[in-house]
Amino acid sequence: MAFTRATGKHRAPSRLTRRSANLAGVATLATAGVLATLASPAVAADAEAAASAEDTGLTPIVSMGSLADEIADQAAAQKREAAEAAARAEAKAEAEAEAKRKAEARAKEIREAKERAAREAERKRLNAFRLPVAGSHVTTGYQTGGSLWSSGSHSGVDFRAASGTTVVSVGSGTVVEAGWGGAYGNNIVIRMNDGTYTQYGHLSSIAVSVGQQVTPGQQIGLSGSTGNSTGPHLHFEARTTAEYGSDMNPVAYLRARGVSV
């Protein structure tokens, strides 16, 4: 019996076919190895997590809701702290402003009290009376009789004063006469603020002029012995008018105004 070879069947693979098959097998093995290698860490991690869970009995879970709540709580706490800090700052500013207001009010009260006291002191000073010659005393009294005076009696009082001694106004007033006064020599007449008049005679010099305002204790001249005088002294009169003959007791006049004579 004759045998014939069937065309296309049972033909030995060619070298190219065998080489391709070998390469495909190698690629398959290589791919499987790479995948196994890549999968190993994940598998190991899963195994470690599983072991850890088995050890603790807890399943680790990351909750996004819990994290959001924590962030919200922190934000709320920071907001509260900021609000509290702002409230403290505002309270401090208000306290400082109130303290400043009280200090200013107190300073104003003190200033006004000082001003009132100064005005009162000035009022008292201007209304006060004093001796025309400081520390002096009367040497010839009021209405003393004698031929030295044209009226037959002394129309004022004489204060002891060496020549050149300071003579002052006994109170506040306005000068209505300043110059030569005949028997009075150099003399000054002042209309006092209470409406009475005072006269200062026998001066060696005059330091004021008519119309000038004077205050208690202000120097108006120096004592002397001009006019009808037997020696240095100050002749002082108190009058109801500026004219001669309207005299009143100078000692009583000064004492009634608080002056010790």
Side-chain angles (χ1 to χ4, degrees), residues 78-219:
Q78 291 175 352
K79 186 175 181 180
R80 284 195 302 272
E81 290 176 359
E84 291 171 357
R88 288 193 299 271
E90 183 178 359
K92 181 180 179 182
E94 290 178 354
E96 291 176 349
E98 179 65 12
K100 182 179 180 181
R101 185 192 66 77
K102 289 182 178 180
E104 290 176 347
R106 179 57 180 162
K108 182 180 179 181
E109 290 177 0
I110 294 173
R111 183 174 63 255
E112 290 177 347
K114 288 182 178 179
E115 290 173 352
R116 287 193 300 271
R119 288 194 298 270
E120 179 62 16
E122 181 65 5
R123 185 191 67 79
K124 289 181 178 180
R125 186 185 74 82
L126 294 176
N127 290 330
F129 279 73
R130 61 196 61 200
L131 289 173
V133 179
S136 185
H137 61 276
V138 174
T139 56
T140 304
Y142 178 59
Q143 291 187 337
T144 298
S147 60
L148 291 175
W149 303 283
S150 59
S151 64
S153 65
H154 199 201
S155 57
V157 295
D158 292 341
F159 281 95
R160 180 179 181 276
S163 183
T165 301
T166 297
V167 176
V168 302
S169 173
V170 296
S172 296
T174 304
V175 178
V176 295
E177 183 178 337
W180 187 257
Y184 290 104
N186 293 322
N187 89 121
I188 297 170
V189 178
I190 299 174
R191 184 185 187 279
M192 312 309 292
N193 285 348
D194 63 3
T196 60
Y197 293 80
T198 55
Q199 183 183 31
Y200 312 78
H202 308 308
L203 302 174
S204 62
S205 65
I206 296 173
V208 293
S209 57
V210 174
Q212 182 175 339
Q213 300 288 321
V214 293
T215 57
Q218 179 178 335
Q219 181 176 340

Side-chain angles (χ1 to χ4, degrees), residues 27-116:
T28 300
L29 292 174
T31 302
V34 170
L35 292 175
T37 301
L38 293 174
S40 294
V43 172
D46 290 342
E48 184 178 352
S52 177
E54 289 177 357
D55 291 341
T56 62
L58 300 175
T59 302
I61 299 174
V62 177
S63 174
M64 295 304 294
S66 298
L67 181 59
D69 291 342
E70 183 177 351
I71 293 173
D73 291 343
Q74 290 179 353
Q78 291 175 352
K79 186 175 181 180
R80 284 195 302 272
E81 290 176 359
E84 291 171 357
R88 288 193 299 271
E90 183 178 359
K92 181 180 179 182
E94 290 178 354
E96 291 176 349
E98 179 65 12
K100 182 179 180 181
R101 185 192 66 77
K102 289 182 178 180
E104 290 176 347
R106 179 57 180 162
K108 182 180 179 181
E109 290 177 0
I110 294 173
R111 183 174 63 255
E112 290 177 347
K114 288 182 178 179
E115 290 173 352
R116 287 193 300 271

